[in-house]
């Protein structure tokens, strides 16, 4: 029997069997020799046998419980991040066979984690190298395009083409920068320097960034919120996240529309709300807008590249926040960013 492969189980089985045999032999002897008070002695032997069996079982199960507690502790250690945690399985038996399989699974998971880490690092290095290689030709193309604009001031058709080429160069540069930021976040190579930042100041910086575009496109950028609310965050990355959402709002609104940024604080969280009255998001797209390079079949005329919102989500979640979106076609879209306020113990 495989269950008896374990020495401790075999020992327990043997002790119980010996106790039962001794009790049986003594009982037969008391009956055969018809000793005085034989029933009393049989009862006494039965009691002794029960005590020995119970003691043996208690000792065995207590030891098994300690082994299981140790195994659970090692599993908890592994879940907590200790990749070296292992369950001791240097004996035979079904339980130790299970422990061995758990250790094998841990080794496989560690191998997958390491392969994923290497793959992410390779991707980061590759995109970083490509990005740096692209910077030089992009800079040169921007210079050439600027020279062409100067030379074609009196040629409206060519001037129009140079303006369009400048926009495309800006898109390429934005794509390269966003790809580089996302891969750095994926690889975990970015350390956020969190400090207590004034939310009104950060949103004021966002407003300044889009002030010229709002004027050019005749759109209204409305801000409202308490000027004394603070948020524990990395200022530059949080502004990046907010600007991506505001840019998305500008891309999906028309002349005369508005983009509203509100911020408020409750007992447990800071909330930033970015709302517009633009075209809205189609219900089919709502569950996909945070996927990289996702392009809706309902907005083919837009110039987005599908990286701004995924990058925003990564930044918000890296700050232990959440991002929600609510939208209605033809009525507008609302993005809600929630950040828990750390409790002071």
């Amino acid at each position: 029997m495989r269950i008896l492969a374990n020495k401790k189980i075999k020992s327990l089985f043997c002790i119980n069997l010996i106790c039962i045999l001794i009790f049986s032999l003594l009982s037969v002897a008391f009956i055969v020799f018809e000793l005085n008070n034989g029933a009393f002695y049989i009862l006494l032997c039965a009691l002794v046998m029960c005590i020995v069996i119970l003691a043996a079982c208690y000792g065995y199960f207590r030891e098994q419980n300690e082994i299981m507690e140790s195994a659970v502790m090692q599993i908890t250690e592994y879940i907590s991040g200790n990749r070296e945690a292992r369950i001791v399985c240097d004996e035979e038996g079904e339980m130790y066979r299970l422990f061995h399989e758990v250790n094998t699974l841990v080794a496989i998971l560690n191998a997958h984690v390491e392969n994923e880490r290497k793959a992410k690092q390779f991707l980061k290095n590759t995109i970083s190298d490509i990005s740096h290689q692209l910077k030089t030709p992009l800079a040169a193309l921007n210079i050439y395009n600027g020279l062409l604009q100067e030379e074609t001031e009196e040629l409206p058709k060519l001037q129009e083409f140079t303006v369009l080429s400048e926009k495309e160069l800006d898109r390429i540069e934005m794509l390269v920068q966003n790809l580089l930021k996302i891969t750095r976040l994926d690889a975990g190579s970015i350390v956020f320097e969190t400090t207590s930042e004034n939310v009104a100041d950060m949103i004021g910086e966002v407003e300044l960034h889009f002030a010229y575009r709002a004027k050019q496109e005749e759109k209204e950028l409305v801000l409202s919120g308490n000027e004394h609310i603070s948020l524990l965050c990395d200022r530059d990355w949080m502004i990046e996240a907010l600007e991506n959402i505001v840019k998305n709002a500008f891309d999906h609104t028309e002349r005369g529309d508005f983009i509203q940024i509100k911020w408020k604080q409750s007992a447990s969280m800071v909330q930033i709300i970015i709302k517009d009255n633009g075209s809205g998001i189609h219900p089919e797209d709502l569950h996909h807008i945070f996927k990289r390079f996702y392009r809706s079949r309902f907005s083919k005329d837009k110039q987005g590249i599908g990286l701004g919102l995924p990058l925003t989500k990564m930044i918000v979640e890296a700050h232990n926040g959440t991002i929600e979106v609510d939208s209605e076609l033809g009525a507008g879209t609302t993005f809600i960013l929630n950040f828990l306020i750390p409790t002071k113990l």
Side-chain angles (χ1 to χ4, degrees):
M1 295 175 65
R2 297 188 65 177
I3 193 172
L4 296 178
N6 183 272
K7 293 179 181 178
K8 294 185 177 69
I9 295 178
K10 189 185 292 183
S11 298
L12 178 65
F13 181 80
C14 289
I15 290 171
N16 291 341
L17 184 60
I18 290 169
C19 287
I20 293 170
L21 286 173
I22 292 174
F23 170 74
S24 300
L25 290 173
L26 288 173
S27 298
V28 170
F30 291 147
I31 294 170
V32 169
F33 294 107
E34 298 179 351
L35 295 177
N36 292 330
N37 300 320
F40 171 76
Y41 289 123
I42 291 173
L43 182 62
L44 184 62
C45 290
L47 181 61
V48 172
M49 179 192 70
C50 289
I51 291 172
V52 173
I53 290 175
L54 286 174
C57 289
Y58 174 77
Y60 170 77
F61 286 114
R62 186 179 64 176
E63 186 178 4
Q64 293 301 299
N65 183 67
E66 290 174 356
I67 293 170
M68 290 301 296
E69 287 291 334
S70 175
V72 169
M73 187 172 64
Q74 291 301 313
I75 293 172
T76 304
E77 281 283 319
Y78 182 80
I79 293 172
S80 300
N82 181 9
R83 301 301 173 197
E84 302 302 319
R86 294 292 185 278
I87 303 173
V88 177
C89 54
D90 52 2
E91 295 189 32
E92 295 181 352
E94 293 300 301
M95 184 172 66
Y96 290 99
R97 182 183 169 199
L98 173 63
F99 289 168
H100 177 72
E101 293 300 324
V102 171
N103 286 341
T104 302
L105 177 61
V106 166
I108 293 171
L109 288 174
N110 283 346
H112 284 313
V113 169
E114 181 62 19
N115 289 336
E116 186 177 358
R117 186 193 66 79
K118 289 180 179 178
K120 284 184 176 181
Q121 187 62 38
F122 174 77
L123 180 63
K124 172 183 172 293
N125 293 339
T126 301
I127 293 182
S128 179
D129 291 342
I130 294 172
S131 300
H132 285 100
Q133 292 296 325
L134 284 172
K135 283 181 179 179
T136 302
L138 275 174
L141 287 171
N142 277 313
I143 293 171
Y144 299 153
N145 196 71
L147 293 172
L148 285 173
Q149 285 181 336
E150 292 177 3
E151 295 295 327
T152 58
E153 288 181 354
E154 298 179 359
L155 301 170
K157 196 66 177 177
L158 290 177
Q159 185 75 11
E160 181 182 349
F161 288 144
T162 58
V163 171
L164 290 174
S165 65
E166 183 178 7
K167 288 182 179 178
E168 295 304 313
L169 286 170
D170 289 341
R171 286 186 64 208
I172 294 172
E173 188 170 359
M174 183 182 299
L175 172 63
V176 170
Q177 292 300 327
N178 283 342
L179 274 173
L180 188 55
K181 290 171 185 174
I182 284 178
T183 51
R184 288 173 64 198
L185 285 169
D186 274 342
S189 61
I190 293 176
V191 178
F192 290 98
E193 298 178 0
T194 57
T195 54
S196 182
E197 299 289 345
N198 183 276
V199 177
D201 288 347
M202 289 192 295
I203 293 176
E205 192 169 326
V206 173
E207 179 192 28
L208 187 63
H209 180 86
F210 288 97
Y212 179 76
R213 181 172 177 180
K215 183 178 179 181
Q216 289 293 108
E217 298 180 8
E218 298 178 7
K219 298 174 184 178
E220 187 178 5
L221 192 55
V222 184
L223 311 183
S224 62
N226 190 318
E227 294 184 0
H228 303 291
I229 295 175
S230 296
L231 177 64
L232 191 65
C233 65
D234 185 303
R235 182 184 180 91
D236 293 337
W237 282 102
M238 188 55 63
I239 288 174
E240 170 90 19
L242 295 173
E243 286 183 349
N244 284 337
I245 298 176
V246 174
K247 178 185 178 300
N248 188 74
F250 270 97
D251 290 341
H252 294 85
T253 48
E254 304 296 335
R255 291 185 181 274
D257 287 346
F258 72 84
I259 295 100
Q260 183 182 42
I261 308 176
K262 296 193 298 183
W263 61 98
K264 57 185 179 180
Q265 180 176 329
S266 64
S268 60
M269 71 171 60
V270 172
Q271 192 173 71
I272 301 174
I273 303 167
I274 301 173
K275 180 180 180 181
D276 66 67
N277 64 338
S279 58
I281 302 172
H282 195 279
E284 181 182 303
D285 298 324
L286 269 178
H287 299 292
H288 304 286
I289 61 172
F290 294 112
K291 292 180 180 178
R292 298 173 191 180
F293 300 106
Y294 180 75
R295 298 289 296 138
S296 170
R297 63 189 181 92
F298 301 102
S299 60
K300 293 179 180 178
D301 57 324
K302 303 301 178 183
Q303 297 299 309
I305 52 179
L307 283 178
L309 291 180
L311 178 58
T312 293
K313 188 173 186 289
M314 292 180 72
I315 295 170
V316 170
E317 290 179 349
H319 284 82
N320 298 317
T322 61
I323 182 168
E324 305 168 16
V325 59
D326 182 40
S327 187
E328 183 180 345
L329 275 178
T333 302
T334 302
F335 284 89
I336 304 171
L337 282 63
N338 300 305
F339 301 95
L340 288 175
I341 299 173
T343 55
K344 295 180 180 179
L345 299 177

